Amino acid sequence: SPAVMFNQIADPDTHRGALERCVELCQQVESPVINHPEKVLQTSRDQVSQALQGIPGTLVPRIQRFQPRTPDEVFSRAAAEGFELPFIVRVAGLHGGVSMVKVNSRDETSLHALPFDGRDFYLTQFIDYKSPDGLYRKTRIAMVDGIPLIRHHLVDNRWIVNAASLGFMDQNPPLMDEANRLLADFDRTLRPAIEDRLSEINRRLGLDYYGIDCHYNEQGELLIFEANAAMNVLFNSRPEYEQCVGVIKNHILAMIDARSRQVTH
């Protein structure tokens, strides 16, 4: 049997069947498994939200999975479950802000753009994380074998912060400087402030390699947007991130090496 197996099937919304097959494979082969498919199956957005509730100093928005057939059903479910406006409605299994609507009022027409055909949606409580300067900040941390490594820090003037936010940062050099400073100083500044919370998240999720998208606010609270193995960590198109990605790669290789030496019998 192989010295180590590295499962890279990472999205339980889109690849549940493949992950279940992979669980069977792992049961037949006695090798150590990195990102065991049983653990990955527990990382849908609603399950992660539930698993991470109650960690001191950590804000985790409530998330529920449901199958609304109409925009009206979205509002009735939100009311029944005590979700206050604004909340976010998104199609399960899509990433990068696709098919996602922030609902600010009862007469939200933007919901009509979503495909109400019985598929799974997520209902997420929106927590306003605007900084005092009116901007939104999101930090991605790669967790490799329990070790937090910074991947990127993005700033935008809209609440959806993603790769497109780099355009906004390119036009505002002080923001790019802020990001580069955080990348350089992460081990001395942000990491010590949040490390205890990251270890608890790590303990609860039980994954070996994954990403955490978060925001650290002025009150010292850590707001968790997402934590799963389906994040872009290694693909990189920007020279600013070469060093971070290099460090993450080295940690992954070291983890594979260490696991492959484990004796399982």
Side-chain angles (χ1 to χ4, degrees), residues 53-79:
Q53 294 297 329
I55 300 173
T58 310
L59 303 172
V60 183
R62 285 175 61 213
I63 300 178
Q64 287 201 355
R65 178 195 291 261
F66 67 139
Q67 295 86 23
R69 288 286 184 170
T70 62
D72 278 345
E73 275 184 35
V74 170
F75 287 109
S76 55
R77 175 67 179 258

Side-chain angles (χ1 to χ4, degrees), residues 240-258:
E240 293 97 327
Y241 297 135
E242 252 166 47
Q243 193 183 348
C244 290
V245 170
V247 168
I248 294 167
K249 275 183 184 165
N250 289 339
H251 276 80
I252 292 170
L253 292 171
M255 169 175 64
I256 293 170
D257 189 49

